[in-house]
Amino acid sequence: MLSPSSASDEAASRAARARPAPSAPPVSPGQVSALIAVLGALTAVAPLATDMYVPGFPSMGETLNASSSAVQLTLTAFLVGMVVGQLLIGPMSDGWGRRRLLLSGAAGFVLFSLLCAVAPNVELLTAARFLQGFAGAAGMVLARAVITDCFRGADVPRYFALLSQILGIAPIAAPVVGGAVLSLSTWRAVFVVLAVLGVLLLIAVLKKVPETLPPERRHSGGLVGTFRTMGTLLGHRAFMGYVLVLGFTSAALFAYISGSSFVFQNVHGVSATGYSLIFASNAVGMLIAGVTFARLSVRVRLNTLLIAGLAVSGTGAVALLVLPALTGEHLAVTWICLFVAISGIAVIFPSTMSIGQNLGRGAPGAASALIGGLQFLFGAVASPLVGLFGEDSATPMAAVIVISLALAGVALVLLARPWLSHGEVTAEPAGSGKH
């Protein structure tokens, strides 16, 4: 007899698999490269918009006659908009289809980026940033849903590896790109550049992204039925286990993003240029780890790769916490430990995304909403924690990273239970594009 927990999981799994597969793939093999390129761009634009304007905070405060806390609130508003947008748009797409919500999101992103550019005060800018985040969330949440609609087998983790690399690198690259724009113009120009990117995305979606969820596969029952499906996924023990692993790992990554500049520049005396190079080297580590994951995922279980990624990342984080207490603060030690920790995260992200979307394949939009929404929610909560505990050593950042990864490990063992091989991809050949 099944336990209540097992029965709940089984019921949730049946509900998630309820939708029949389409009789023919929505994209031909010749369209795949262009589709993935557009989905990658859709995934990148919201993380780029998150902190591309951060180098302009001081001048923004002067222009808008606003305090630094009021200016920083515009960043929080954007993150909240992204979380809310994913949680609403993802499930809606399971009932309405992907394409028109993608088009609406891209158009809204353009409009609200322009509104940010002309905002006369910080209050309007904050409201516009929330709406910009909400609109930008469409590209992120629906890119994952479209991949789940279109692909099976080894293609799934390979493409999620690409999206996860973009999610990891875009927030790191954004301030550098923003600084380049600010060297030529004011902070308002950053939002004009984002609006231009939105226009290009709108054109790309129109030309290269077909509707991947035909009417016969959409969820009936309107919005109520759609969000009931999300409730079913919330009761799926294994699915929520992997979502929490991703969420806590995202908290670790955002702690690194928000705290590393203080650690390297204030503690170790690295210049802004030197810090950019360190950041870039860690981004290269993420790329290498992501490529390695994509190749190994063809022949190694995703759950095995997930455990390995968490072990590698945890080792780097614990070393960053323990070694300075034993040997003192050293630039090389901090750098190497963070390189290891961030490289492991680059394996955890695509593993959990692939497994989570596979478990929620019957409702890809709702699954993607929970995966992406909690990912950025946990990241937004973790970002300010590093600064709260001081900026005169690497210990606060290391502690937040270690605690976050430890909680990810707890979720993996108690909820996901990877030894049961949940969410493993089917053995279909890569590139088949079949359903």
Short mmCIF file of all heavy atoms in Angstrom, two decimals, residues 31 47 203 213 215 235 262 271 292 305 314 389:
data_model
loop_
_atom_site.label_atom_id
_atom_site.label_comp_id
_atom_site.label_asym_id
_atom_site.label_seq_id
_atom_site.Cartn_x
_atom_site.Cartn_y
_atom_site.Cartn_z
N GLN A 31 14.79 24.33 -38.34
CA GLN A 31 14.42 25.50 -37.56
C GLN A 31 15.00 25.49 -36.16
O GLN A 31 14.92 26.51 -35.45
CB GLN A 31 12.88 25.56 -37.44
CG GLN A 31 12.14 25.76 -38.75
CD GLN A 31 10.64 25.66 -38.55
OE1 GLN A 31 10.13 24.68 -38.00
NE2 GLN A 31 9.92 26.68 -38.98
N PRO A 47 17.71 38.96 -17.15
CA PRO A 47 18.90 39.07 -16.28
C PRO A 47 19.79 40.25 -16.65
O PRO A 47 20.38 40.87 -15.76
CB PRO A 47 19.62 37.73 -16.52
CG PRO A 47 18.54 36.79 -16.90
CD PRO A 47 17.58 37.60 -17.71
N ILE A 203 10.79 41.09 -33.00
CA ILE A 203 10.93 40.69 -34.41
C ILE A 203 11.35 39.22 -34.51
O ILE A 203 10.83 38.46 -35.34
CB ILE A 203 11.94 41.60 -35.13
CG1 ILE A 203 11.41 43.04 -35.17
CG2 ILE A 203 12.22 41.09 -36.54
CD1 ILE A 203 12.43 44.05 -35.66
N LEU A 213 2.45 24.93 -28.60
CA LEU A 213 1.43 24.23 -27.83
C LEU A 213 0.09 24.34 -28.57
O LEU A 213 -0.66 25.30 -28.40
CB LEU A 213 1.30 24.83 -26.43
CG LEU A 213 0.39 24.07 -25.46
CD1 LEU A 213 1.00 22.71 -25.11
CD2 LEU A 213 0.14 24.88 -24.19
N PRO A 215 -3.84 23.77 -29.78
CA PRO A 215 -5.07 23.80 -28.95
C PRO A 215 -5.41 22.47 -28.30
O PRO A 215 -5.89 22.45 -27.16
CB PRO A 215 -6.14 24.23 -29.96
CG PRO A 215 -5.40 25.03 -30.99
CD PRO A 215 -4.07 24.38 -31.12
N GLY A 235 2.15 19.96 -4.79
CA GLY A 235 2.02 18.78 -3.95
C GLY A 235 2.87 17.61 -4.39
O GLY A 235 2.82 16.53 -3.78
N PHE A 262 32.69 43.43 -3.04
CA PHE A 262 33.21 43.93 -1.76
C PHE A 262 34.40 43.09 -1.30
O PHE A 262 35.40 43.61 -0.81
CB PHE A 262 32.11 43.91 -0.70
CG PHE A 262 30.95 44.80 -1.01
CD1 PHE A 262 29.75 44.27 -1.45
CD2 PHE A 262 31.06 46.17 -0.89
CE1 PHE A 262 28.67 45.09 -1.74
CE2 PHE A 262 29.99 47.01 -1.18
CZ PHE A 262 28.79 46.46 -1.60
N SER A 271 41.66 46.12 -8.05
CA SER A 271 41.07 47.24 -8.78
C SER A 271 39.78 46.82 -9.46
O SER A 271 39.48 45.61 -9.57
CB SER A 271 42.05 47.76 -9.83
OG SER A 271 42.25 46.78 -10.84
N THR A 292 30.68 20.75 -20.29
CA THR A 292 30.98 19.40 -19.79
C THR A 292 29.69 18.68 -19.40
O THR A 292 29.51 17.49 -19.72
CB THR A 292 31.90 19.49 -18.57
OG1 THR A 292 33.11 20.17 -18.93
CG2 THR A 292 32.25 18.09 -18.05
N LEU A 305 24.76 13.55 -12.07
CA LEU A 305 25.43 14.81 -12.35
C LEU A 305 25.03 15.88 -11.34
O LEU A 305 25.85 16.70 -10.92
CB LEU A 305 25.09 15.28 -13.77
CG LEU A 305 25.66 14.42 -14.90
CD1 LEU A 305 25.09 14.87 -16.26
CD2 LEU A 305 27.18 14.49 -14.93
N GLY A 314 29.72 22.57 -3.08
CA GLY A 314 29.80 22.58 -1.63
C GLY A 314 31.23 22.53 -1.13
O GLY A 314 31.59 23.20 -0.15
N PHE A 389 25.81 41.27 7.18
CA PHE A 389 26.74 40.67 8.14
C PHE A 389 28.16 41.21 8.02
O PHE A 389 29.09 40.62 8.56
CB PHE A 389 26.73 39.15 7.99
CG PHE A 389 25.41 38.53 8.34
CD1 PHE A 389 24.55 38.08 7.35
CD2 PHE A 389 25.00 38.43 9.66
CE1 PHE A 389 23.32 37.51 7.68
CE2 PHE A 389 23.79 37.87 9.99
CZ PHE A 389 22.93 37.42 9.00
#
